[in-house]
Amino acid sequence: MCAFDRPRKWAVFLCPFFLIEERFELSHHHKVGVIGGDGIGPEVVAEALKVVAASGVALDTVDYDLGGARYLRSGEVLPDSLLEEIAGLDAVLLGAVGMPGVPPGVLERGLLLRLRFELDLYVNLRPLEGAGGDPSGIDCVVVRENTEGSYVGEGGSLRKGTAHEVATQGSVNTRMGVERCVRFAFELAQGRLRRHLTLVHKTNVLTYAGDLWQRTLDEVSVDFPEVATAYHHVDAACMYLVGSPERYDVIVTDNLFGDILTDLGGAVAGGIGLAASANLNPARTGPSLFEPVHGSAPDIAGTGTANPLAAIRSAAMMLDFLGEADAAARVAKAVAEASALTGTTQQVGDAVAERV
Ligand code: IPM
Ligand code: MN
């Protein structure tokens, strides 16, 4: 940030120095936490880092041993001291976490969701686009709300284990949370060729939350007169994503719908092995986190058959967010060129690295 928002008399003196510092900052000093995780996670992350190095961007990386293996060894999921350290970084690159023997929810809630919530990564940005020669015609980005909805853990159970057991799981939607996400989606759509934004929800059944989303979208749309908007129910959107995905440009949706829709969309756009994601803190009050949409696939770990392209694409999104737009574009282009090749995880990584 330049000194423009400082008092004027200082701006004259400070601005050139701040500009120099900023340039230096942008090209050399990205502190990136690396969480390889479990299963194929470390394998695909290694290829992503190889490609970043080939792009000419130097990262100061710090490795974090987090995930299922650490949990099984020590019972620790995310020690507070590590979270604090991670909060001071510029970005985090994560492979995948999860392995047999870890009960459901431990790593999801304790690591992934904790990072999303505590670092305020309120946008989960998931491009749905094939890589080179993709016949589906899909070229869309999903803006998934990432800190609210049914992911917050609101609810509980009563009379557990009895015939009268009750379980509730609420969906929390705040005006602030919905609005900042919707605004991000409008800004994104505004900068794209088609300038089209579709809200996906279930307003006909989830009338309270749906009403808040729809009204917020309508109100924010006044600030973006060039962006055309549409609304689709989530069930219809699933059908359209498969049958006529070209109708979508930017989609904005809540946390759970976005989770489901992006696995479906990933499958349509060439498979989950290509699907990248960025968990963004657009306010930049802390690091953003970049990870492939896929999981740790323990069944194929160590076989060299994992596709590293989703991790490499996630790293490209990281470069872009860190201000390295040129390197990010070169990586994206190299992925498109290399995507038709087959080979081991390392060979595919090498092929992309050679083309960057
Ligand atoms: C994803 C994953 C996570 C989610 C899980 C692992 C908590 O499915 O990133 O899409 O549901 O968000
Ligand atoms: Mn998911």
Side-chain angles (χ1 to χ4, degrees), residues 35-38 64-70 77-79 82 86 97 111 115:
I35 304 173
D38 306 307
Y64 290 96
D65 169 26
L66 292 168
R70 179 172 189 153
V77 179
L78 178 57
L82 285 191
I86 288 170
V97 295
L111 182 57
L115 285 169

Side-chain angles (χ1 to χ4, degrees), residues 65-342:
D65 169 26
L66 292 168
R70 179 172 189 153
Y71 172 72
L72 291 178
R73 209 173 54 236
S74 69
E76 288 176 320
V77 179
L78 178 57
D80 291 347
S81 58
L82 285 191
L83 176 61
E84 213 171 290
E85 203 180 302
I86 288 170
L89 301 169
D90 296 323
V92 178
L93 185 63
L94 189 148
V97 295
M99 61 194 296
V102 183
V106 169
L107 298 173
E108 291 84 349
R109 296 218 77 85
L111 182 57
L112 294 175
L113 299 186
R114 186 156 178 235
L115 285 169
R116 289 177 188 175
F117 295 168
E118 301 243 9
L119 300 175
D120 206 17
L121 308 177
Y122 68 81
V123 164
N124 196 326
L125 193 63
R126 298 188 157 181
L128 303 178
E129 55 192 13
D134 174 50
S136 70
I138 194 167
D139 179 13
C140 158
V141 187
V142 176
V143 177
R144 165 186 173 188
E145 201 292 319
N146 211 30
T147 53
E148 301 195 338
S150 36
Y151 275 66
V152 298
E154 195 259 357
S157 50
L158 288 170
R159 308 181 196 124
K160 198 165 172 174
T162 73
H164 300 280
E165 179 163 349
V166 179
T168 64
Q169 190 95 48
S171 170
V172 173
N173 299 263
T174 70
R175 170 69 196 215
M176 178 279 292
V178 172
E179 181 169 341
R180 64 186 184 172
C181 178
V182 162
R183 222 167 249 291
F184 181 95
F186 268 106
E187 273 159 19
L188 179 67
Q190 170 90 39
R192 286 169 63 94
L193 219 55
R194 291 162 64 194
R195 295 187 173 157
H196 191 273
L197 176 63
T198 306
L199 169 64
V200 170
H201 207 280
K202 188 76 184 175
T203 56
N204 53 343
V205 174
L206 306 182
T207 49
Y208 306 126
D211 176 56
L212 174 58
W213 275 86
Q214 183 69 67
R215 256 186 306 116
T216 304
L217 184 109
D218 293 344
E219 286 169 28
V220 173
S221 75
V222 173
D223 295 338
F224 297 89
E226 292 168 344
V227 177
T229 60
Y231 169 79
H232 290 164
H233 293 319
V234 65
D235 46 355
C238 287
M239 182 178 64
Y240 294 144
L241 258 184
V242 173
S244 48
E246 67 285 347
R247 68 170 76 211
Y248 294 114
D249 181 20
V250 179
I251 290 175
V252 65
T253 191
D254 86 352
N255 209 339
L256 183 58
F257 293 144
D259 176 48
I260 299 165
L261 215 54
T262 52
D263 261 37
L264 177 72
V268 172
I272 205 76
L274 293 176
S277 82
N279 296 264
L280 300 179
N281 171 341
R284 295 178 190 263
T285 54
S288 290
L289 183 151
F290 302 80
E291 57 172 339
V293 175
H294 64 66
S296 60
D299 51 324
I300 63 161
T303 62
T305 54
N307 188 345
L309 292 179
I312 295 172
R313 285 178 137 186
S314 303
M317 295 180 84
M318 178 178 79
L319 289 176
D320 199 40
F321 198 72
L322 289 173
E324 304 283 1
D326 175 64
R330 279 184 285 119
V331 173
K333 188 161 168 279
V335 166
E337 286 167 13
S339 63
L341 304 174
T342 51

